[in-house]
Amino acid sequence: RWRSIARELREARADLLCLQEVEPEAWDSHFEPHMREQGYLGVLAPKRTRGGGALHGCASLFRASAWELVAQRTCTLSDMLLPDAGRAGLPAALLDEARGKGT
């Protein structure tokens, strides 16, 4: 399965990629190293169980030649919008390298 996912991500040639339900182990062993080789940097916000364990999470990846990560904050949707939602979110501030503008 990983080979198909990696091929799709490469072929997308996107400046920004947002992925859901990424397991922390898969992030560490596959996504982050492979995408770094492709010129991307990124962060993972794992969703936590009520007991504190990590299930999976949201990943944000960006092409390092086009963007610079200037801030990040891991939060849940309940922090922002929905009480008791328990879902992970990953707001990130990126600086557009070419134009010097942030998002």
Side-chain angles (χ1 to χ4, degrees):
R1 183 173 179 207
W2 165 247
R3 288 184 182 145
S4 296
I5 294 170
R7 184 177 56 250
E8 277 196 49
L9 293 175
R10 269 194 318 273
E11 290 174 358
R13 298 182 186 198
D15 283 344
L16 300 170
L17 295 164
C18 298
L19 308 172
Q20 293 179 285
E21 298 186 12
V22 177
E23 296 175 357
E25 298 81 20
W27 173 258
D28 292 337
S29 64
H30 292 86
F31 285 93
E32 195 278 333
H34 175 77
M35 296 308 289
R36 188 174 352 107
E37 287 177 5
Q38 303 300 313
Y40 289 85
L41 296 176
V43 289
L44 175 70
K47 175 183 175 183
R48 300 282 176 194
T49 64
R50 293 199 189 272
L55 297 173
H56 51 72
C58 298
S60 295
L61 295 140
F62 57 94
R63 188 175 303 281
S65 63
W67 299 92
E68 175 186 357
L69 180 67
V70 294
Q72 77 180 55
R73 182 179 140 227
T74 301
C75 61
T76 64
L77 289 180
S78 60
D79 291 340
M80 298 183 300
L81 302 171
L82 307 171
D84 300 321
R87 295 180 175 88
L90 187 60
L94 299 174
L95 178 66
D96 181 333
E97 292 288 325
R99 293 184 289 271
K101 295 180 181 177
T103 62

Coordinates of all heavy atoms in Angstrom, one line a residue:
R1 N 0.8 -1.2 0.0 CA 0.0 0.0 0.0 C 0.9 1.3 0.0 O 0.5 2.3 -0.6 CB -0.9 -0.1 1.2 CG -1.9 1.1 1.3 CD -2.9 0.9 2.4 NE -3.7 2.1 2.4 CZ -4.3 2.6 3.4 NH1 -4.2 1.9 4.5 NH2 -5.1 3.6 3.3
W2 N 2.0 1.2 0.7 CA 2.8 2.4 0.8 C 3.3 2.9 -0.5 O 3.4 4.0 -0.8 CB 4.0 2.2 1.8 CG 5.0 3.2 1.6 CD1 6.3 3.0 1.2 CD2 4.9 4.6 1.9 NE1 7.0 4.2 1.1 CE2 6.2 5.2 1.5 CE3 3.9 5.4 2.3 CZ2 6.4 6.6 1.6 CZ3 4.1 6.8 2.4 CH2 5.4 7.4 2.1
R3 N 3.7 1.9 -1.4 CA 4.2 2.3 -2.7 C 3.2 3.1 -3.5 O 3.6 4.0 -4.2 CB 4.7 1.0 -3.5 CG 5.9 0.4 -2.9 CD 6.4 -0.7 -3.7 NE 7.6 -1.3 -3.1 CZ 7.9 -2.6 -3.1 NH1 7.1 -3.4 -3.7 NH2 9.0 -3.0 -2.6
S4 N 2.0 2.7 -3.5 CA 0.9 3.4 -4.2 C 0.7 4.8 -3.6 O 0.6 5.8 -4.4 CB -0.4 2.6 -4.1 OG -0.3 1.4 -4.7
I5 N 0.7 4.9 -2.3 CA 0.6 6.2 -1.7 C 1.7 7.1 -2.0 O 1.6 8.3 -2.4 CB 0.4 6.1 -0.1 CG1 -0.9 5.4 0.2 CG2 0.5 7.4 0.5 CD1 -1.0 5.0 1.7
A6 N 2.9 6.6 -1.9 CA 4.1 7.4 -2.2 C 4.1 7.9 -3.7 O 4.5 9.0 -4.0 CB 5.4 6.6 -2.0
R7 N 3.7 7.0 -4.6 CA 3.6 7.4 -6.0 C 2.6 8.5 -6.2 O 2.9 9.5 -6.9 CB 3.3 6.2 -6.9 CG 3.3 6.5 -8.4 CD 3.0 5.3 -9.3 NE 1.7 4.7 -8.9 CZ 1.6 3.4 -8.4 NH1 2.7 2.7 -8.1 NH2 0.4 2.9 -8.1
E8 N 1.5 8.4 -5.6 CA 0.4 9.5 -5.7 C 0.9 10.8 -5.2 O 0.7 11.8 -5.8 CB -0.8 9.1 -5.0 CG -1.7 8.2 -5.9 CD -3.1 8.1 -5.3 OE1 -3.7 9.2 -5.0 OE2 -3.6 7.0 -5.2
L9 N 1.6 10.8 -4.0 CA 2.1 12.0 -3.4 C 3.2 12.6 -4.3 O 3.2 13.8 -4.5 CB 2.7 11.7 -2.1 CG 1.7 11.3 -1.0 CD1 2.4 11.0 0.3 CD2 0.6 12.4 -0.8
R10 N 4.1 11.8 -4.9 CA 5.1 12.3 -5.8 C 4.5 12.9 -7.1 O 4.8 14.0 -7.5 CB 6.1 11.2 -6.2 CG 7.3 11.0 -5.4 CD 8.3 10.1 -6.0 NE 7.8 9.0 -6.7 CZ 7.5 7.8 -6.1 NH1 7.7 7.6 -4.8 NH2 7.1 6.8 -6.8
E11 N 3.5 12.2 -7.6 CA 2.9 12.6 -8.9 C 2.1 13.9 -8.7 O 1.8 14.6 -9.7 CB 2.1 11.5 -9.5 CG 3.0 10.4 -10.0 CD 2.3 9.1 -10.5 OE1 1.0 9.1 -10.4 OE2 2.9 8.2 -11.0
A12 N 1.6 14.1 -7.5 CA 0.8 15.3 -7.3 C 1.6 16.6 -7.5 O 1.1 17.6 -7.9 CB 0.2 15.3 -5.9
R13 N 2.9 16.5 -7.2 CA 3.8 17.7 -7.3 C 3.2 18.9 -6.7 O 3.3 20.0 -7.2 CB 4.1 17.9 -8.7 CG 4.9 16.8 -9.3 CD 5.3 17.0 -10.7 NE 5.9 15.8 -11.2 CZ 6.7 15.7 -12.3 NH1 6.9 16.8 -13.0 NH2 7.2 14.5 -12.7
A14 N 2.5 18.8 -5.6 CA 1.9 19.9 -4.9 C 2.9 20.6 -4.0 O 3.8 20.0 -3.5 CB 0.7 19.4 -4.0
D15 N 2.6 21.9 -3.8 CA 3.4 22.6 -2.8 C 3.0 22.3 -1.4 O 3.8 22.4 -0.5 CB 3.3 24.1 -3.0 CG 4.1 24.6 -4.2 OD1 5.0 23.9 -4.7 OD2 3.9 25.7 -4.7
L16 N 1.7 22.0 -1.2 CA 1.2 21.7 0.1 C 0.4 20.4 0.1 O -0.4 20.2 -0.9 CB 0.2 22.8 0.6 CG 0.8 24.2 0.8 CD1 -0.3 25.2 1.0 CD2 1.8 24.3 1.9
L17 N 0.6 19.6 1.1 CA -0.2 18.3 1.2 C -0.7 18.2 2.6 O 0.0 18.4 3.5 CB 0.8 17.1 0.9 CG 1.3 17.0 -0.5 CD1 2.5 16.0 -0.5 CD2 0.3 16.5 -1.5
C18 N -2.0 17.8 2.7 CA -2.6 17.6 4.0 C -3.2 16.2 4.0 O -3.9 15.8 3.1 CB -3.7 18.6 4.2 SG -3.1 20.3 4.3
L19 N -2.8 15.4 5.0 CA -3.2 14.0 5.0 C -3.9 13.7 6.3 O -3.5 14.2 7.4 CB -1.9 13.1 4.9 CG -1.0 13.3 3.7 CD1 0.3 12.5 3.9 CD2 -1.7 13.0 2.4
Q20 N -4.9 12.8 6.3 CA -5.6 12.4 7.5 C -5.3 10.9 7.8 O -4.9 10.2 6.9 CB -7.1 12.5 7.2 CG -7.6 13.9 7.0 CD -9.1 13.9 6.8 OE1 -9.5 13.6 5.7 NE2 -9.9 14.3 7.8
E21 N -5.5 10.6 9.0 CA -5.4 9.2 9.5 C -4.0 8.6 9.3 O -3.9 7.5 8.8 CB -6.5 8.4 9.0 CG -7.9 8.8 9.4 CD -9.0 7.9 9.0 OE1 -8.8 6.8 8.6 OE2 -10.2 8.4 9.2
V22 N -3.0 9.4 9.5 CA -1.6 8.9 9.4 C -1.2 8.4 10.7 O -1.2 9.1 11.7 CB -0.6 10.1 8.9 CG1 0.8 9.6 8.9 CG2 -1.1 10.6 7.6
E23 N -0.8 7.1 10.8 CA -0.3 6.5 12.0 C 1.1 7.0 12.4 O 1.9 7.2 11.5 CB -0.3 5.0 11.9 CG -1.7 4.4 11.7 CD -1.7 2.9 11.5 OE1 -0.6 2.3 11.4 OE2 -2.8 2.4 11.4
P24 N 1.4 7.3 13.6 CA 2.7 7.8 14.0 C 3.8 7.0 13.5 O 4.9 7.4 13.1 CB 2.6 7.9 15.5 CG 1.2 8.1 15.8 CD 0.5 7.3 14.8
E25 N 3.7 5.6 13.6 CA 4.7 4.7 13.2 C 4.9 4.8 11.7 O 6.1 4.8 11.2 CB 4.4 3.3 13.5 CG 4.2 3.0 15.0 CD 2.8 3.4 15.6 OE1 1.9 3.6 14.8 OE2 2.8 3.6 16.8
A26 N 3.9 5.0 10.9 CA 4.0 5.1 9.4 C 4.6 6.5 9.1 O 5.4 6.6 8.2 CB 2.6 5.0 8.8
W27 N 4.3 7.5 9.9 CA 4.9 8.8 9.7 C 6.4 8.7 9.9 O 7.2 9.2 9.0 CB 4.3 9.9 10.7 CG 5.0 11.2 10.6 CD1 5.9 11.7 11.5 CD2 4.9 12.2 9.7 NE1 6.4 12.9 11.2 CE2 5.7 13.3 10.1 CE3 4.1 12.3 8.5 CZ2 5.8 14.4 9.3 CZ3 4.2 13.5 7.8 CH2 5.1 14.6 8.2
D28 N 6.8 8.1 11.0 CA 8.3 8.0 11.3 C 9.0 7.1 10.3 O 10.2 7.4 9.9 CB 8.5 7.5 12.7 CG 8.0 8.5 13.8 OD1 8.0 9.7 13.5 OD2 7.7 8.0 14.9
S29 N 8.4 6.0 9.9 CA 9.2 5.1 9.1 C 9.0 5.3 7.6 O 9.9 4.9 6.8 CB 8.7 3.6 9.4 OG 7.3 3.4 9.1
H30 N 7.9 5.9 7.1 CA 7.7 6.0 5.7 C 7.5 7.5 5.2 O 8.2 8.0 4.4 CB 6.4 5.2 5.3 CG 6.6 3.8 5.4 ND1 6.4 3.1 6.5 CD2 7.0 2.8 4.5 CE1 6.6 1.8 6.3 NE2 7.0 1.6 5.1
F31 N 6.4 8.1 5.7 CA 6.0 9.4 5.2 C 7.1 10.5 5.3 O 7.6 11.1 4.4 CB 4.7 9.9 5.9 CG 3.5 9.3 5.4 CD1 3.0 8.2 6.1 CD2 2.8 9.7 4.3 CE1 1.9 7.5 5.6 CE2 1.7 9.1 3.8 CZ 1.2 8.0 4.5
E32 N 7.6 10.7 6.6 CA 8.5 11.8 6.8 C 9.8 11.6 6.1 O 10.3 12.5 5.4 CB 8.7 12.0 8.3 CG 9.4 13.3 8.7 CD 10.9 13.3 8.6 OE1 11.5 12.2 8.7 OE2 11.5 14.4 8.3
P33 N 10.5 10.4 6.2 CA 11.8 10.2 5.5 C 11.6 10.3 4.0 O 12.4 10.9 3.3 CB 12.3 8.8 5.9 CG 11.4 8.4 7.1 CD 10.2 9.3 7.0
H34 N 10.6 9.6 3.4 CA 10.4 9.6 2.0 C 10.1 11.0 1.4 O 10.7 11.4 0.4 CB 9.3 8.7 1.6 CG 8.9 8.7 0.1 ND1 9.7 8.1 -0.8 CD2 8.0 9.3 -0.5 CE1 9.2 8.3 -2.0 NE2 8.1 9.0 -1.9
M35 N 9.2 11.7 2.1 CA 8.9 13.1 1.6 C 10.0 14.0 1.8 O 10.2 14.9 1.0 CB 7.6 13.6 2.3 CG 6.4 12.7 2.0 SD 6.1 12.4 0.2 CE 5.6 14.1 -0.3
R36 N 10.8 13.9 2.8 CA 12.0 14.7 3.0 C 13.0 14.5 1.8 O 13.5 15.5 1.3 CB 12.8 14.4 4.3 CG 13.9 15.4 4.6 CD 14.6 15.3 5.9 NE 14.0 14.4 6.8 CZ 14.5 13.1 7.2 NH1 15.6 12.7 6.6 NH2 13.9 12.4 8.1
E37 N 13.1 13.3 1.3 CA 13.9 13.0 0.1 C 13.4 13.7 -1.1 O 14.1 14.0 -2.0 CB 14.0 11.5 -0.1 CG 14.9 10.7 0.9 CD 14.9 9.2 0.6 OE1 14.3 8.8 -0.4 OE2 15.5 8.5 1.4
Q38 N 12.1 13.9 -1.1 CA 11.4 14.5 -2.3 C 11.4 16.0 -2.1 O 10.8 16.7 -3.0 CB 10.0 14.0 -2.4 CG 9.8 12.5 -2.5 CD 10.6 12.0 -3.8 OE1 10.4 12.5 -4.9 NE2 11.3 10.9 -3.6
G39 N 12.0 16.6 -1.1 CA 12.1 18.0 -0.9 C 11.0 18.6 0.0 O 10.8 19.8 -0.1
Y40 N 10.3 17.8 0.7 CA 9.2 18.3 1.6 C 9.6 18.2 3.0 O 10.4 17.4 3.5 CB 7.9 17.4 1.4 CG 7.2 17.5 0.1 CD1 7.6 16.8 -1.0 CD2 6.1 18.4 0.0 CE1 6.9 16.9 -2.2 CE2 5.5 18.5 -1.2 CZ 5.9 17.8 -2.3 OH 5.2 17.9 -3.5
L41 N 9.1 19.1 3.8 CA 9.1 19.1 5.3 C 7.7 19.0 5.8 O 6.8 19.4 5.1 CB 9.8 20.3 5.8 CG 11.3 20.5 5.4 CD1 11.8 21.8 6.0 CD2 12.1 19.3 5.9
G42 N 7.5 18.5 7.0 CA 6.2 18.4 7.5 C 6.1 18.2 9.0 O 7.1 17.9 9.6
V43 N 4.9 18.2 9.5 CA 4.6 17.9 10.9 C 3.4 17.0 11.0 O 2.5 17.0 10.1 CB 4.4 19.2 11.7 CG1 5.7 20.0 11.8 CG2 3.3 20.1 11.0
L44 N 3.3 16.2 12.1 CA 2.2 15.3 12.3 C 1.6 15.7 13.7 O 2.3 15.9 14.6 CB 2.7 13.9 12.4 CG 1.7 12.9 12.8 CD1 0.6 12.7 11.7 CD2 2.3 11.5 13.1
A45 N 0.3 15.9 13.7 CA -0.5 16.1 14.9 C -1.3 14.8 15.2 O -2.3 14.6 14.6 CB -1.4 17.3 14.7
P46 N -0.7 14.0 16.1 CA -1.4 12.8 16.4 C -2.7 13.0 17.2 O -2.8 13.8 18.1 CB -0.4 11.9 17.2 CG 0.6 12.9 17.7 CD 0.5 14.1 16.8
K47 N -3.7 12.2 16.9 CA -5.0 12.2 17.7 C -4.7 11.4 18.9 O -4.2 10.3 18.8 CB -6.1 11.7 16.9 CG -7.4 11.5 17.6 CD -8.5 10.9 16.7 CE -9.7 10.6 17.5 NZ -10.8 9.9 16.7
R48 N -5.1 11.8 20.1 CA -4.9 11.1 21.3 C -6.2 10.4 21.8 O -7.3 11.0 21.6 CB -4.4 12.0 22.4 CG -3.1 12.7 22.1 CD -1.9 11.8 22.3 NE -0.7 12.5 21.8 CZ 0.4 11.8 21.7 NH1 0.5 10.5 21.8 NH2 1.5 12.5 21.3
T49 N -6.0 9.2 22.3 CA -7.2 8.6 23.0 C -7.4 9.2 24.3 O -6.5 10.0 24.8 CB -6.9 7.1 23.1 OG1 -5.8 6.9 24.0 CG2 -6.6 6.4 21.8
R50 N -8.5 8.9 24.9 CA -8.7 9.4 26.3 C -7.7 9.0 27.3 O -7.4 9.7 28.2 CB -10.1 9.0 26.8 CG -11.2 9.7 26.0 CD -12.5 9.7 26.7 NE -13.6 10.1 25.9 CZ -14.0 11.3 25.7 NH1 -13.4 12.3 26.4 NH2 -15.0 11.7 25.0
G51 N -7.0 7.8 27.0 CA -6.0 7.3 27.8 C -4.6 7.9 27.5 O -3.6 7.7 28.2
G52 N -4.5 8.7 26.5 CA -3.3 9.4 26.1 C -2.5 8.8 25.0 O -1.5 9.3 24.6
G53 N -2.9 7.6 24.5 CA -2.2 7.0 23.5 C -2.4 7.6 22.1 O -3.5 8.2 21.9
A54 N -1.5 7.5 21.2 CA -1.7 8.0 19.8 C -2.2 7.0 18.9 O -1.7 5.9 18.8 CB -0.4 8.5 19.3
L55 N -3.3 7.3 18.2 CA -3.9 6.4 17.2 C -3.4 6.7 15.8 O -2.8 5.9 15.2 CB -5.4 6.6 17.2 CG -6.2 6.2 18.5 CD1 -7.7 6.6 18.3 CD2 -6.1 4.7 18.7
H56 N -3.7 7.9 15.3 CA -3.4 8.4 14.0 C -3.5 9.9 14.1 O -3.9 10.4 15.1 CB -4.2 7.7 12.9 CG -5.7 7.8 13.1 ND1 -6.4 9.0 13.0 CD2 -6.6 6.9 13.5 CE1 -7.6 8.8 13.3 NE2 -7.8 7.5 13.6
G57 N -3.2 10.6 13.0 CA -3.3 12.0 13.1 C -3.4 12.7 11.8 O -3.4 12.0 10.7
C58 N -3.3 14.0 11.8 CA -3.2 14.8 10.6 C -1.8 15.2 10.3 O -1.1 15.6 11.2 CB -4.1 16.0 10.8 SG -5.8 15.7 11.1
A59 N -1.4 15.1 9.1 CA -0.1 15.5 8.7 C -0.2 16.7 7.7 O -1.0 16.7 6.8 CB 0.7 14.4 8.0
S60 N 0.7 17.6 7.8 CA 0.8 18.7 6.9 C 2.2 18.7 6.3 O 3.2 18.7 7.1 CB 0.6 20.1 7.5 OG -0.8 20.2 8.0
L61 N 2.4 18.7 5.0 CA 3.7 18.6 4.4 C 3.7 19.8 3.4 O 2.7 20.2 2.8 CB 3.9 17.3 3.6 CG 3.9 16.1 4.4 CD1 3.2 15.0 3.8 CD2 5.4 15.7 4.7
F62 N 4.9 20.4 3.2 CA 5.1 21.5 2.3 C 6.4 21.4 1.6 O 7.4 20.9 2.2 CB 5.0 22.9 3.1 CG 5.9 23.0 4.2 CD1 7.2 23.6 4.0 CD2 5.7 22.5 5.5 CE1 8.1 23.8 5.0 CE2 6.6 22.7 6.5 CZ 7.8 23.3 6.3
R63 N 6.4 21.9 0.4 CA 7.7 21.9 -0.4 C 8.6 22.9 0.2 O 8.3 24.1 0.3 CB 7.4 22.2 -1.9 CG 8.6 22.0 -2.8 CD 8.3 22.2 -4.2 NE 7.2 21.3 -4.7 CZ 7.4 20.1 -5.0 NH1 8.6 19.5 -4.9 NH2 6.4 19.3 -5.5
A64 N 9.8 22.5 0.7 CA 10.7 23.3 1.4 C 11.3 24.4 0.5 O 11.6 25.5 1.1 CB 11.8 22.5 2.0
S65 N 11.3 24.2 -0.8 CA 11.8 25.3 -1.6 C 10.8 26.4 -1.8 O 11.2 27.5 -2.3 CB 12.2 24.7 -3.0 OG 11.0 24.2 -3.6
A66 N 9.6 26.2 -1.5 CA 8.5 27.2 -1.7 C 8.0 27.8 -0.4 O 7.5 28.9 -0.4 CB 7.3 26.6 -2.5
W67 N 8.1 27.1 0.7 CA 7.5 27.5 2.0 C 8.5 27.3 3.1 O 9.4 26.4 3.1 CB 6.3 26.7 2.3 CG 5.2 26.9 1.3 CD1 5.0 26.1 0.2 CD2 4.2 27.9 1.2 NE1 3.9 26.5 -0.5 CE2 3.4 27.6 0.1 CE3 3.9 29.0 2.0 CZ2 2.3 28.4 -0.3 CZ3 2.8 29.7 1.7 CH2 2.0 29.5 0.6
E68 N 8.3 28.1 4.1 CA 9.1 28.0 5.4 C 8.1 27.9 6.5 O 7.2 28.7 6.6 CB 10.0 29.2 5.6 CG 10.8 29.1 6.9 CD 11.5 30.4 7.1 OE1 11.6 31.3 6.2 OE2 12.1 30.5 8.2
L69 N 8.2 26.9 7.4 CA 7.4 26.8 8.6 C 7.8 27.8 9.6 O 9.0 27.8 10.0 CB 7.4 25.4 9.2 CG 6.6 25.1 10.4 CD1 5.1 25.2 10.0 CD2 6.9 23.8 11.0
V70 N 7.0 28.8 9.9 CA 7.3 29.8 10.9 C 6.6 29.6 12.3 O 7.1 30.2 13.3 CB 7.1 31.2 10.4 CG1 8.0 31.5 9.2 CG2 5.6 31.4 10.0
A71 N 5.6 28.8 12.3 CA 4.9 28.5 13.5 C 4.0 27.3 13.3 O 3.5 27.0 12.2 CB 4.1 29.7 14.0
Q72 N 3.7 26.6 14.4 CA 2.8 25.5 14.4 C 2.2 25.3 15.8 O 2.8 25.7 16.8 CB 3.4 24.2 14.0 CG 4.2 23.5 15.1 CD 4.8 22.2 14.6 OE1 5.5 22.2 13.6 NE2 4.6 21.2 15.3
R73 N 1.0 24.8 15.8 CA 0.3 24.6 17.1 C -0.6 23.4 16.9 O -1.5 23.4 16.0 CB -0.6 25.8 17.5 CG -1.2 25.6 18.8 CD -2.0 26.8 19.2 NE -3.3 26.3 19.8 CZ -4.5 26.7 19.5 NH1 -4.7 27.7 18.6 NH2 -5.5 26.2 20.1
T74 N -0.4 22.3 17.7 CA -1.3 21.2 17.7 C -2.4 21.4 18.6 O -2.3 21.9 19.7 CB -0.5 19.9 18.1 OG1 0.6 19.7 17.2 CG2 -1.4 18.7 18.1
C75 N -3.6 21.2 18.1 CA -4.8 21.4 18.9 C -5.9 20.4 18.5 O -5.7 19.7 17.5 CB -5.3 22.8 18.7 SG -5.8 23.2 17.1
T76 N -7.0 20.4 19.2 CA -8.1 19.5 18.8 C -9.2 20.4 18.3 O -9.2 21.6 18.5 CB -8.6 18.7 20.0 OG1 -9.2 19.6 20.9 CG2 -7.6 17.8 20.6
L77 N -10.1 19.9 17.5 CA -11.2 20.7 17.0 C -12.1 21.2 18.2 O -12.7 22.2 18.1 CB -12.1 19.9 16.1 CG -11.5 19.6 14.7 CD1 -12.4 18.8 13.8 CD2 -11.1 20.9 14.0
S78 N -12.1 20.4 19.3 CA -12.8 20.9 20.5 C -12.2 22.1 21.0 O -12.9 23.0 21.6 CB -13.0 19.8 21.5 OG -11.7 19.4 22.0
D79 N -10.9 22.3 20.9 CA -10.2 23.5 21.3 C -10.7 24.7 20.5 O -10.8 25.8 21.0 CB -8.7 23.4 21.1 CG -8.0 22.5 22.0 OD1 -8.6 22.1 23.1 OD2 -6.9 22.0 21.7
M80 N -11.0 24.5 19.2 CA -11.3 25.5 18.3 C -12.8 25.7 18.1 O -13.4 26.8 18.1 CB -10.7 25.3 16.9 CG -9.2 25.3 17.0 SD -8.4 25.2 15.4 CE -9.0 23.6 14.8
L81 N -13.6 24.6 17.9 CA -15.0 24.7 17.5 C -15.9 23.8 18.2 O -17.0 24.2 18.6 CB -15.1 24.4 16.0 CG -14.3 25.2 15.0 CD1 -14.3 24.6 13.6 CD2 -14.8 26.6 15.0
L82 N -15.6 22.5 18.2 CA -16.6 21.5 18.6 C -16.2 20.9 20.0 O -15.3 20.1 20.1 CB -16.6 20.4 17.6 CG -16.8 20.8 16.1 CD1 -16.7 19.7 15.2 CD2 -18.2 21.4 16.0
P83 N -17.0 21.2 21.0 CA -16.8 20.5 22.3 C -16.8 19.0 22.2 O -17.7 18.5 21.5 CB -17.9 21.1 23.2 CG -18.4 22.3 22.5 CD -18.1 22.1 21.0
D84 N -15.9 18.3 22.8 CA -15.8 16.9 22.9 C -15.7 16.2 21.6 O -16.0 15.0 21.4 CB -17.1 16.3 23.6 CG -17.2 16.9 25.0 OD1 -16.2 17.0 25.7 OD2 -18.3 17.2 25.4
A85 N -15.2 16.9 20.5 CA -15.0 16.2 19.2 C -13.8 15.3 19.3 O -13.8 14.2 18.6 CB -14.8 17.3 18.1
G86 N -12.7 15.6 20.0 CA -11.5 14.8 20.1 C -10.7 14.6 18.9 O -9.9 13.7 18.8
R87 N -11.0 15.3 17.8 CA -10.2 15.2 16.6 C -9.0 16.1 16.6 O -9.0 17.2 17.2 CB -11.1 15.5 15.4 CG -12.3 14.6 15.3 CD -13.1 14.9 14.1 NE -14.2 13.9 13.9 CZ -15.4 14.0 14.4 NH1 -15.7 14.9 15.3 NH2 -16.2 13.0 14.2
A88 N -7.9 15.7 15.9 CA -6.7 16.4 15.9 C -6.8 17.5 14.8 O -7.4 17.3 13.7 CB -5.5 15.5 15.6
G89 N -6.1 18.6 15.0 CA -6.0 19.6 14.0 C -4.6 20.1 14.0 O -3.9 20.0 15.0
L90 N -4.2 20.7 12.9 CA -2.8 21.2 12.9 C -2.7 22.5 12.1 O -2.4 22.6 11.0 CB -1.9 20.2 12.1 CG -0.5 20.4 12.1 CD1 0.1 20.5 13.5 CD2 0.2 19.3 11.4
P91 N -3.1 23.6 12.8 CA -2.9 24.9 12.1 C -1.4 25.2 12.0 O -0.7 24.9 12.9 CB -3.6 25.9 13.1 CG -4.3 25.1 14.2 CD -3.8 23.7 14.1
A92 N -1.0 25.7 10.9 CA 0.4 26.0 10.7 C 0.5 27.3 10.0 O -0.3 27.6 9.1 CB 1.1 24.9 9.9
A93 N 1.5 28.1 10.3 CA 1.8 29.3 9.6 C 3.0 29.1 8.7 O 4.0 28.6 9.2 CB 2.1 30.4 10.6
L94 N 2.8 29.3 7.4 CA 3.8 29.1 6.4 C 4.2 30.4 5.8 O 3.3 31.2 5.5 CB 3.4 28.1 5.4 CG 3.0 26.7 5.9 CD1 2.5 25.9 4.7 CD2 4.2 26.0 6.4
L95 N 5.4 30.6 5.5 CA 5.9 31.8 4.8 C 6.2 31.4 3.3 O 6.9 30.5 3.1 CB 7.1 32.3 5.4 CG 7.8 33.6 4.8 CD1 6.8 34.8 4.9 CD2 9.1 33.9 5.4
D96 N 5.5 32.1 2.4 CA 5.8 31.8 1.0 C 7.1 32.4 0.6 O 7.3 33.6 0.7 CB 4.7 32.5 0.2 CG 4.8 32.3 -1.3 OD1 5.9 32.1 -1.8 OD2 3.8 32.4 -2.0
E97 N 8.1 31.6 0.3 CA 9.5 32.0 0.1 C 9.6 32.9 -1.1 O 10.4 33.9 -1.1 CB 10.4 30.8 -0.1 CG 10.6 29.9 1.1 CD 11.5 30.5 2.1 OE1 12.4 31.2 1.7 OE2 11.2 30.3 3.3
A98 N 8.8 32.7 -2.1 CA 8.9 33.5 -3.3 C 8.4 34.9 -3.1 O 9.0 35.9 -3.7 CB 8.2 32.8 -4.5
R99 N 7.3 35.0 -2.4 CA 6.7 36.4 -2.3 C 6.9 37.0 -0.9 O 6.5 38.1 -0.7 CB 5.2 36.2 -2.6 CG 5.0 35.9 -4.1 CD 3.5 35.9 -4.4 NE 2.8 34.8 -3.8 CZ 2.7 33.6 -4.4 NH1 3.2 33.4 -5.6 NH2 2.0 32.6 -3.8
G100 N 7.4 36.2 0.1 CA 7.6 36.7 1.4 C 6.3 37.0 2.1 O 6.2 37.9 3.0
K101 N 5.3 36.3 1.7 CA 3.9 36.5 2.4 C 3.6 35.2 3.2 O 3.9 34.1 2.8 CB 2.9 36.7 1.3 CG 3.1 38.0 0.5 CD 2.0 38.1 -0.5 CE 2.2 39.4 -1.3 NZ 1.2 39.5 -2.4
G102 N 2.9 35.4 4.3 CA 2.5 34.3 5.1 C 1.1 33.9 4.9 O 0.3 34.6 4.2
T103 N 0.7 32.7 5.4 CA -0.6 32.2 5.3 C -1.2 32.1 6.7 O -0.5 32.1 7.7 CB -0.7 30.8 4.7 OG1 0.0 29.9 5.6 CG2 -0.1 30.7 3.3

